């Protein structure tokens, strides 16, 4: 197998010894990609608390108007940030639910359940929806007793 760089075909072993010019070009492209998602002129941070990157699966179980969990409707989204008072995450479609139980895998401690009130949804330029909300309660996770939801590694 070979790799093509600047129309020059190199064997894989030669990739470790790229010239300084090629390394500079790679760094320039990587920096361009990072700047596209993390622009320098960011808005002033208005949040009161720190957000932690959380790029892990989050299981969401919709809550009915009477606060019963619709366990059979549980679905998975991908986390973006986690904070003491809330969460934001990516989903492939807009969500119709205003309240959900967010189940997080805490390893040996098992699943935890946090009731989240979803407050906003934005379409991203990459085709995903970014959703967010605040935590309003702690409940047993509906996943704690389900065998058909394997633990997240």
């Amino acid at each position: 197998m070979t790799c093509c760089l600047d129309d020059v075909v190199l064997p894989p072993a030669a990739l470790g010894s790229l010239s300084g010019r090629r390394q500079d070009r790679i760094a320039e492209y990587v920096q361009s990609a990072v700047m596209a998602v993390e622009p320098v002129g960011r808005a002033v941070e208005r949040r009161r608390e720190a957000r932690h990157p959380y790029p892990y699966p989050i299981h969401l179980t919709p809550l009915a108007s009477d606060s019963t969990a619709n366990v059979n409707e549980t679905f998975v989204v991908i986390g973006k940030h986690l904070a003491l008072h809330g969460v934001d995450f990516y989903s492939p479609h807009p969500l119709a639910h205003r309240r959900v139980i967010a189940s997080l895998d805490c390893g040996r401690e098992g699943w935890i359940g946090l009731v989240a009130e979803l407050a906003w949804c934005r379409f991203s330029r990459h085709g995903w929806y970014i959703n967010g909300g605040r935590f309003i309660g702690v409940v047993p996770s509906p996943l704690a007793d389900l065998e058909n939801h394997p633990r997240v590694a």
Side-chain angles (χ1 to χ4, degrees):
M1 181 174 178
T2 59
C3 181
C4 181
L5 296 173
D6 295 331
D7 298 321
V8 177
V9 177
L10 299 173
L15 293 177
S17 60
L18 294 174
S19 70
R21 191 186 90 216
R22 285 196 179 116
Q23 287 290 358
D24 291 345
R25 190 160 183 210
I26 292 169
E28 179 183 325
Y29 275 74
V30 170
Q31 185 175 11
S32 293
V34 170
M35 294 301 290
V37 295
E38 290 287 332
V40 175
R42 277 189 184 199
V44 175
E45 182 63 57
R46 297 177 298 178
R47 292 174 180 85
R48 296 173 295 180
E49 62 190 18
R51 295 181 306 158
H52 305 281
Y54 193 81
Y56 305 104
I58 300 171
H59 293 70
L60 298 182
T61 303
L63 288 174
S65 57
D66 64 355
S67 295
T68 57
N70 295 324
V71 178
N72 294 331
E73 294 181 32
T74 298
F75 58 99
V76 179
V77 297
I78 300 299
K80 182 177 180 191
H81 295 107
L82 189 62
L84 293 178
H85 293 97
V87 64
D88 57 7
F89 55 87
Y90 298 101
S91 67
H93 49 79
L95 304 181
H97 313 289
R98 299 298 286 159
R99 287 195 176 174
V100 295
I101 298 173
S103 293
L104 307 175
D105 185 359
C106 290
R108 291 181 190 167
E109 297 173 27
W111 293 97
I112 61 167
L114 299 166
V115 177
E117 186 171 68
L118 302 179
W120 59 271
C121 177
R122 292 185 189 95
F123 185 72
S124 76
R125 68 184 192 144
H126 299 291
W128 285 81
Y129 291 85
I130 305 171
N131 303 266
R134 62 187 180 102
F135 295 131
I136 59 173
V138 176
V139 296
S141 169
L143 301 186
D145 297 326
L146 294 180
E147 293 181 7
N148 61 344
H149 285 86
R151 294 182 57 77
V152 177

